[in-house]
Amino acid sequence: MNFSKRYVIWFLMIIILFLSVFRFFICSAKKTAIEETLPIAEQIIEEFTITETHEGKLEMILKAESAIVNESENIAHLKLPVIKFYDKGSYISTFVAESADINMDTYDIKGNGKCTVNSANNEYLQTESLIYNAKEELIYSNNNVKITRPSGTVCGTSFRSDTKLDKIVIKNQRILID
């Protein structure tokens, strides 16, 4: 009987050793899979300023708290952007939004959340989800808009304008006089 107990003990020890070796190889294989790095299609930029000029004249200054650049979609997602527009070096307006998306191909900008535009002529525009078309140099929104001028306040259901706020078309407008 002692002889068979020894075989059982040896047999159990061999099984335990086999399971330990097997477990070691399985765990090391899992570690290799976990340690693989996946390709990242995004870049993060914090506290930056971009200046655009044309023939030596200032055209635009863009500042933002941060940006996430998605290279696969060619879009930059900005947090708290401030965009100053210039016409041949002369300041014309400032566009501020809670966040914005910039199409890196067309440079069109979609402001999200509360958006404001302050012009050099002391005009103040407020709306939600403002869009800037870079090719046409136009801003517009299909949301309610409020424009405050020294002469009074104009409200409407949507608008389209140049960046100077000189040529504004407001739909369903009403004028508020103090």
Side-chain angles (χ1 to χ4, degrees), residues 3-17:
F3 185 73
S4 64
K5 283 184 183 178
R6 284 186 187 170
Y7 280 116
V8 170
I9 291 171
W10 280 102
F11 182 73
L12 289 174
M13 288 175 65
I14 290 173
I15 288 176
I16 291 172
L17 180 65

Side-chain angles (χ1 to χ4, degrees), residues 129-143:
S129 301
L130 181 78
I131 297 172
Y132 168 68
N133 181 314
K135 184 177 180 181
E136 297 178 24
E137 295 184 354
L138 293 174
I139 56 174
Y140 61 93
S141 177
N142 292 323
N143 296 308

Side-chain angles (χ1 to χ4, degrees), residues 119-165:
S119 78
N121 299 327
N122 294 323
E123 297 171 320
Y124 180 72
L125 180 143
Q126 294 174 292
T127 190
E128 300 281 324
S129 301
L130 181 78
I131 297 172
Y132 168 68
N133 181 314
K135 184 177 180 181
E136 297 178 24
E137 295 184 354
L138 293 174
I139 56 174
Y140 61 93
S141 177
N142 292 323
N143 296 308
N144 290 337
V145 62
K146 179 179 177 182
I147 300 173
T148 306
R149 295 179 165 158
S151 60
T153 301
V154 180
C155 297
T157 57
S158 65
F159 86 99
R160 182 178 196 88
S161 175
D162 61 340
T163 55
K164 292 180 184 181
L165 299 181

Side-chain angles (χ1 to χ4, degrees), residues 48-150:
F48 66 95
T49 302
I50 297 173
T51 303
E52 178 186 352
T53 60
H54 180 71
E55 296 179 358
K57 303 282 184 172
L58 195 56
E59 292 288 319
M60 180 177 68
I61 297 175
L62 166 69
K63 291 183 180 184
E65 187 175 293
S66 65
I68 299 174
V69 180
N70 186 325
E71 292 177 6
S72 62
E73 294 179 12
N74 223 13
I75 292 180
H77 306 284
L78 307 178
K79 183 177 178 184
L80 300 173
V82 175
I83 304 163
K84 292 186 177 185
F85 294 102
Y86 295 82
D87 183 23
K88 299 176 185 169
S90 298
Y91 170 76
I92 55 175
S93 64
T94 302
F95 167 41
V96 179
E98 292 176 9
S99 66
D101 297 327
I102 298 179
N103 182 318
M104 302 300 283
D105 291 326
T106 63
Y107 302 109
D108 291 346
I109 302 168
K110 182 177 185 260
N112 304 306
K114 181 180 175 183
C115 298
T116 62
V117 177
N118 294 310
S119 78
N121 299 327
N122 294 323
E123 297 171 320
Y124 180 72
L125 180 143
Q126 294 174 292
T127 190
E128 300 281 324
S129 301
L130 181 78
I131 297 172
Y132 168 68
N133 181 314
K135 184 177 180 181
E136 297 178 24
E137 295 184 354
L138 293 174
I139 56 174
Y140 61 93
S141 177
N142 292 323
N143 296 308
N144 290 337
V145 62
K146 179 179 177 182
I147 300 173
T148 306
R149 295 179 165 158

